[in-house]
Amino acid sequence: MAIKYYLILITILTFLAFGWDKRLAKNGKRRLAESVLLILTFVGGTFGALFGITFFKHKSAKKTFILKLILVVAVQLALIFLLKEHLTDQ
C-alpha cells in the first residue's frame, strides 16, 4: 500500500518539476538540471514526466532529452521484468 502513495507523490512531484522548469525557462532564469528531471522520472515519476512534457509542452522538441527519457523508461521496464522474474522464481 505504501508503494501506491509513493508513486502518486513522485508522479505529482515530477509533473510539478517539469512545470517549474518550464516557468523558469520562460522567465530566463536558472533552470533545473536535466539530470534532476531524469532522476525524478527514474525513481518512479515516469507518468508525471510524460504528463509534464505533454501538458507544459516542455522538452518535447529536445531530441537528446527525449532519447534519455526513453532510455530511463527502458531501464525501468528491464528492472521491473527482472524483479518480477526473480520474485516469482522463489
Side-chain angles (χ1 to χ4, degrees):
M1 182 80 101
I3 187 106
K4 178 171 85 172
Y5 294 116
Y6 169 78
L7 289 174
I8 291 169
L9 181 65
I10 196 68
T11 296
I12 293 168
L13 182 64
T14 305
F15 176 79
L16 292 174
F18 273 81
W20 182 250
D21 191 49
K22 176 71 174 197
R23 182 182 177 128
L24 293 172
K26 280 183 145 184
N27 293 328
K29 303 227 172 154
R30 188 163 188 248
R31 307 199 17 224
L32 298 176
E34 280 189 359
S35 60
V36 170
L37 297 174
L38 291 169
I39 289 169
L40 285 170
T41 302
F42 181 75
V43 298
T46 304
F47 290 114
L50 296 174
F51 293 141
I53 288 169
T54 305
F55 185 81
F56 299 113
K57 294 180 179 48
H58 187 52
K59 298 281 191 191
S60 58
K62 192 165 183 190
K63 288 181 174 48
T64 56
F65 182 81
I66 297 299
L67 289 173
K68 291 174 192 173
L69 187 71
I70 290 169
L71 180 63
V72 165
V73 173
V75 169
Q76 285 177 323
L77 291 172
L79 287 172
I80 290 168
F81 176 77
L82 291 172
L83 283 172
K84 182 180 174 281
E85 289 297 311
H86 177 70
L87 293 176
T88 55
D89 284 345
Q90 295 177 351

